Amino acid sequence: MAAPTPHGVPDGLGAAAVPPDLALLLRDQLEAVADEVEEEVRRQVPEYARPADGTYRAHLRAGVVQALTLFVDHIADPRGQGAAITTTYYELGRGEALEGRGLDALQSALRVGGLHAWRLMGRTAEELGLDSSVVAALGELAFRTVHEVAEAAAAGYAEARLRSTDELERRRRRLLDLLLSDPPASPEAVQDLAHAARWPVPRQIAVVALAATADRREEERPLASAGALVDMGSRPPRMLVPDPEGSGRFGGRAFTLALRGRPAAIGPTVPLAEAARSLHWASRALGLMGRGILPRQGVVRCADHLSTLLLHSDEPILARLRSQRLAPLDSVSEGQRGRLAETLLAWLLSGSNVPDVAARLHVHPQTVRYRLRQLEKLFGDALHDPDARLDLILALRAESLHAQSLRTPSPGPRSPGTDASTCSARASSSCR
């Protein structure tokens, strides 16, 4: 890739005062000057002072020689752009980025090397008895040279960082898809792609399903920088969290703040090979949040709602259970149904203890006994059969969650679920 054309530097200003023959003389001294410049860079820039292997030393030497050559070429042809040489520095900048290093060391080396080279070559000009205008012109050309190679290195560095970031994101999305595949991918394939994506493979993970929003990139960055694999473009948006039980990065207030109010469901913590299972339950929980069966807002952890998830894991069977076991309540009014269902569930869960039921419902014990007599007439022996009692608890729990979802208003457009709906007469009566 060609390096960009430099800007903001002297464009041949005063260059006419530099005798072109000086280029021949300086070119003859180039190797000797390169030796001194290389040594000065290694002395003043710590990153270049390490023991040099052959390749590293060759790169440093080549960079010094190329910059000096560009300076001499500018003397020989002040209008020349030195494209091939600045491209070399463009590649040097790219190399620093691809190796994961910063650009400070290279830029420091350019400043130190440029200043030392100017001193050495300026001394040669003085020894030749050249007047001050020529020395000034040489200074301008030296400044132009340092600026050009520094700008080319910065451009190469920026381009490599951009491409490296984009490629890393693509690899991590492919890794996320691979981890969430069902059946799971082989451990070898996961290890290979994780290495290419620079993602340490954890022992356990949890998958988070998130409500969809428009500003996905702004929310993806802080989550991905913390080590999560994030894909905000999927439906639903999803995130794989490494070692959720052993790190505070994805727990508590910090995680909630990173989501910026977006509702989310965190699947159960599972081994890495079972990531698809964690996604399954997180997605199911997110759907229940949208319906108001689980809290609509905030972060819901599947581990805190296992019974609700189990109860709604097969909705048609659950609907049949409710219809079959609660059929006796169809014969009463809507208002009675809500009160009797609430009382029966509290009675079954409290071990048939009337005072406990009264305390739970905030009613008089006599009111509880009156309702229980009604329930005895409706359900008969089923109230005392262990299997029937278990079915009733499940059916009544589903009935209670359904009524709760109707009472809970839907939030604004950030909700993962449907629009708000008004409580029906049946829901209103069950609230009493």
Side-chain angles (χ1 to χ4, degrees):
M1 181 179 294
T5 301
H7 58 277
V9 295
D11 187 14
L13 183 63
V18 181
D21 291 345
L22 181 61
L24 296 176
L25 178 61
L26 294 178
R27 204 180 300 276
D28 289 339
Q29 298 180 359
L30 195 145
E31 288 296 329
V33 172
D35 289 339
E36 292 195 39
V37 170
E38 180 185 347
E39 188 61 33
E40 186 69 10
V41 169
R42 288 171 55 79
R43 188 178 68 83
Q44 291 200 38
V45 184
E47 290 82 356
Y48 289 87
R50 63 188 180 185
D53 58 33
T55 302
Y56 183 79
R57 184 68 176 266
H59 286 166
L60 174 59
R61 176 72 178 190
V64 171
V65 170
Q66 291 278 23
L68 293 174
T69 301
L70 179 62
F71 175 64
V72 173
D73 286 349
H74 279 325
I75 296 174
D77 181 8
R79 293 177 299 278
Q81 296 299 317
I85 293 174
T86 52
T87 298
T88 296
Y89 272 84
Y90 185 88
E91 293 301 323
L92 284 174
R94 288 186 74 251
E96 293 294 289
L98 295 176
E99 290 296 326
R101 295 190 292 266
L103 198 58
D104 291 346
L106 179 58
Q107 298 285 32
S108 295
L110 290 176
R111 288 191 295 271
V112 169
L115 180 60
H116 194 66
W118 159 239
R119 288 172 180 163
L120 295 175
M121 291 188 168
R123 188 186 310 154
T124 299
E126 292 177 353
E127 290 172 353
L128 293 175
L130 300 178
D131 61 35
S132 59
S133 64
V134 174
V135 175
L138 285 173
E140 290 182 357
L141 289 178
F143 172 74
R144 173 182 175 182
T145 300
V146 171
H147 186 91
E148 285 183 18
V149 296
E151 188 177 61
Y157 185 86
E159 186 269 346
R161 283 291 299 270
L162 178 62
R163 292 199 175 195
S164 176
T165 299
D166 290 345
E167 178 60 24
L168 200 61
E169 288 181 358
R170 284 192 292 270
R171 291 177 182 177
R172 291 193 170 187
R173 284 200 178 91
R174 291 204 308 270
L175 176 60
L176 180 59
D177 290 339
L178 186 68
L179 291 172
L180 296 178
S181 61
D182 192 11
S186 69
E188 293 78 12
V190 171
Q191 287 284 354
D192 289 346
L193 188 50
H195 178 74
R198 301 179 189 174
W199 191 74
V201 178
R203 294 182 58 190
Q204 292 187 313
I205 57 90
V207 178
V208 183
L210 305 105
T213 59
D215 52 343
R216 69 186 197 188
R217 294 289 296 181
E218 290 303 314
E219 296 178 9
E220 182 171 344
R221 290 189 183 96
L223 297 170
S225 64
L229 299 177
V230 185
D231 184 2
M232 292 299 184
S234 62
R235 290 292 178 268
R238 56 200 187 182
M239 173 173 62
L240 188 145
V241 175
D243 295 321
E245 308 296 336
S247 172
R249 294 173 298 173
F250 300 100
R253 182 172 175 80
F255 180 65
T256 303
L257 288 175
L259 293 177
R260 302 186 179 187
R262 177 198 291 258
I266 303 179
T269 298
V270 296
L272 186 63
E274 298 178 15
R277 182 175 300 177
S278 185
L279 173 63
H280 169 78
W281 288 111
S283 300
R284 183 173 293 277
L286 188 68
L288 295 178
M289 290 173 68
R291 292 161 55 187
I293 292 173
L294 291 176
R296 291 184 184 272
Q297 291 288 2
V299 177
V300 169
R301 298 179 181 275
C302 288
D304 298 334
H305 302 276
L306 294 179
S307 60
T308 300
L309 290 167
L310 177 62
L311 194 60
H312 290 81
S313 61
D314 193 326
E315 300 271 3
I317 290 294
L318 180 61
R320 183 173 292 272
L321 177 67
R322 287 176 59 195
S323 175
Q324 180 176 311
R325 283 302 183 184
L326 302 184
L329 294 177
D330 293 341
S331 62
V332 303
S333 68
E334 289 291 328
Q336 283 182 302
R337 180 188 180 102
R339 290 190 292 273
L340 290 176
E342 182 182 45
T343 301
L344 180 54
L345 179 59
W347 182 72
L348 292 169
L349 293 177
S350 64
S352 306
N353 187 299
V354 171
D356 285 352
V357 175
R360 181 186 294 227
L361 300 182
H362 306 289
V363 299
H364 195 277
Q366 191 59 33
T367 301
V368 175
R369 293 188 182 95
Y370 171 73
R371 293 178 185 176
L372 288 173
R373 286 194 293 271
Q374 289 181 286
L375 290 166
E376 286 277 1
K377 292 178 182 178
L378 292 171
F379 288 91
D381 293 339
L383 296 184
H384 307 286
D385 178 80
D387 292 335
R389 287 166 67 99
L390 177 59
D391 285 352
L392 281 170
I393 290 174
L394 296 175
L396 289 165
R397 176 61 177 160
E399 182 96 345
S400 174
L401 289 171
H402 176 70
Q404 171 186 300
S405 71
L406 294 176
R407 293 195 300 268
T408 305
S410 176
R414 293 185 70 89
S415 168
T418 57
D419 294 334
S421 59
T422 306
C423 286
S424 63
R426 172 176 170 180
S428 299
S429 64
S430 66
C431 295
R432 294 195 294 269

